[in-house]
Amino acid sequence: AAMAAPLKVCIVGSGNWGSAIARIIGDNVRSLHRFASTVKMWVFEETVNGQKLSDIINTQHENVKYLPGYKLPENVMAVPQLSEAAEGADLLVFVVPHQFIHKICEEMVGRVSSKARGISLIKGVDVGADGLRLISDIIREKMEMDVSVLMGANIANEVAAQKFCETTIGSRDLENGLLFKELLQTPNFRITVVEDADTVELCGALKNIVAVGAGFCDGLSCGDNTKAAVIRLGLMEMIAFTKLFCRDKQTVSTATFLESCGVADLITTCYGGRNRRVAEAFALTGKSIEELEREMLNGQKLQGPTTSAEVHHILRQKNLTDKFPLFTAVYQICFEGKPVEDMISCLQSHPEHM
């Protein structure tokens, strides 16, 4: 039988995490014959030191703005026009801030291969008319293709430095999950594939709310015992919210919360990560979240506060805010001027059984 044509890969996004993933994909496709050897990476064009970022990446093979100090493989090609980057792509790796996903999908419709499959590395949720929507569902509907998700304890710079870490792929279609595992796994980036995809994705979004709570604790100098309480209660609320959200769609396996996408990502985000860092500064300086985002993040976006707002919207609709005191406190501190100190009272009053 004739060999199938190699699969063309397009990375949609080129920030900190997108660039780290591009290092893995670019290296892997050189030796795996199932995949085309050139990888296109869509770069949102901006000027850095008087030069176009896409030109810098294509000549110096480094994303000097978002992942400085790490070379990108030379077979990763930066393309500033999204429609051109996506042209004929078989495998799409989505790794952009979640607020851009609608616009991006609209620009790609009709460009990609008819058999295209996607994987979302986006840790966030969207709010639709009927409440919360998963990013993978938006891509699935707009692009009419199967979408897997990849979430785990993966701080981008550590992945780029090839430090050992684990991650989780959630896939409704196991075959597609295994295909993306082949594209992405390395000896230091170990992947487990599970079929409970919505749980994997919700973990990636919800843990950022808990990280904001952990950051408030750090800003208040509460200590490690208090922070451990935040992490534990946050995990309980993550599980309760996921069961609430997935009630009609599929069963939620509690075991998924023990995968990298669950407890591991929660821990790493509550100790490292930008949501924790900005929340700590919020508690210490009294500046607004927007102000701190501009000052501290070099153009990256913060997901925790916006996710807390999206989750709060749904909990309010269902009259369940009192069942989620931690999620609710984070929202109220970020957006309603509630004093940061109230973070502690939400721990003291947490319901014993969710």
Side-chain angles (χ1 to χ4, degrees), residues 7-10 21 24-25 28 32 34-35 90-94 115-121 145-150 167-171 173-186 189 191 193:
L7 299 166
K8 289 186 190 156
V9 182
C10 169
I21 272 302
I24 289 179
I25 293 175
N28 277 355
L32 296 169
R34 280 189 82 163
F35 307 105
D90 298 294
L91 301 177
L92 294 151
V93 179
F94 291 88
K115 298 188 291 289
R117 290 163 275 195
I119 190 165
S120 169
L121 279 60
M145 65 183 187
D146 184 65
V147 183
S148 302
V149 295
L150 180 144
T167 200
T168 313
I169 287 179
S171 208
D173 179 331
L174 200 55
E175 195 185 331
N176 290 344
L178 294 170
L179 176 66
F180 280 111
K181 175 175 177 170
E182 194 182 337
L183 176 68
L184 291 160
Q185 182 158 270
T186 73
F189 190 65
I191 299 173
V193 182

Side-chain angles (χ1 to χ4, degrees), residues 59-316:
T59 53
Q60 297 171 32
H61 305 290
E62 185 183 339
N63 187 334
V64 293
K65 179 161 185 186
Y66 296 112
L67 191 66
Y70 295 100
K71 286 289 183 211
L72 297 173
E74 296 189 2
N75 56 327
V76 173
M77 191 171 104
V79 181
Q81 283 78 31
L82 180 54
S83 54
E84 189 189 322
E87 192 64 53
D90 298 294
L91 301 177
L92 294 151
V93 179
F94 291 88
V95 52
V96 288
H98 77 284
Q99 46 276 49
F100 305 133
I101 200 65
H102 290 275
K103 194 165 162 283
I104 279 169
C105 288
E106 278 151 22
E107 282 187 46
M108 291 198 307
V109 167
R111 295 283 178 173
V112 303
S113 144
S114 59
K115 298 188 291 289
R117 290 163 275 195
I119 190 165
S120 169
L121 279 60
I122 299 168
K123 293 179 176 176
V125 284
D126 189 71
V127 147
D130 314 319
L132 188 139
R133 308 212 31 230
L134 297 176
I135 303 299
S136 64
D137 283 336
I138 294 166
I139 301 171
R140 203 174 275 116
E141 282 165 31
K142 289 193 180 276
M143 308 280 299
E144 297 184 341
M145 65 183 187
D146 184 65
V147 183
S148 302
V149 295
L150 180 144
M151 309 276 153
N154 308 141
I155 289 175
N157 290 50
E158 295 182 15
V159 173
Q162 297 178 318
K163 294 183 177 175
F164 178 85
C165 67
E166 303 172 317
T167 200
T168 313
I169 287 179
S171 208
R172 294 179 185 182
D173 179 331
L174 200 55
E175 195 185 331
N176 290 344
L178 294 170
L179 176 66
F180 280 111
K181 175 175 177 170
E182 194 182 337
L183 176 68
L184 291 160
Q185 182 158 270
T186 73
N188 284 320
F189 190 65
R190 306 308 294 169
I191 299 173
T192 305
V193 182
V194 301
E195 290 183 87
D196 190 6
D198 290 1
T199 303
V200 173
E201 186 167 2
L202 277 166
C203 281
L206 297 172
K207 55 105 197 188
N208 283 328
I209 305 178
V210 187
V212 173
F216 291 156
C217 278
D218 289 342
L220 296 166
S221 303
C222 290
D224 283 338
N225 297 337
T226 310
K227 194 156 150 179
V230 168
I231 293 172
R232 185 187 81 80
L233 294 169
L235 181 60
M236 282 173 65
E237 291 191 13
M238 284 168 61
I239 294 171
F241 186 87
T242 302
K243 287 181 171 163
L244 181 78
F245 178 77
C246 294
R247 211 174 32 216
D248 319 318
K249 294 173 70 175
Q250 64 185 82
T251 53
V252 171
S253 163
T254 314
T256 304
F257 293 94
L258 297 178
E259 295 291 346
S260 182
C261 59
V263 69
D265 194 15
L266 179 61
I267 292 168
T268 199
T269 309
C270 288
Y271 281 91
R274 52 193 154 188
N275 288 281
R276 187 215 65 80
R277 196 168 84 242
V278 173
E280 179 181 40
F282 177 92
L284 290 169
T285 64
K287 293 178 178 176
S288 74
I289 293 282
E290 295 74 34
E291 216 177 326
L292 292 165
E293 187 177 53
R294 278 197 302 276
E295 280 176 27
M296 297 172 70
L297 292 183
N298 184 29
Q300 296 179 61
K301 292 281 174 240
L302 203 62
Q303 307 282 20
T306 46
T307 306
S308 81
E310 286 151 353
V311 164
H312 188 71
H313 181 74
I314 286 175
L315 293 177
R316 246 205 332 252

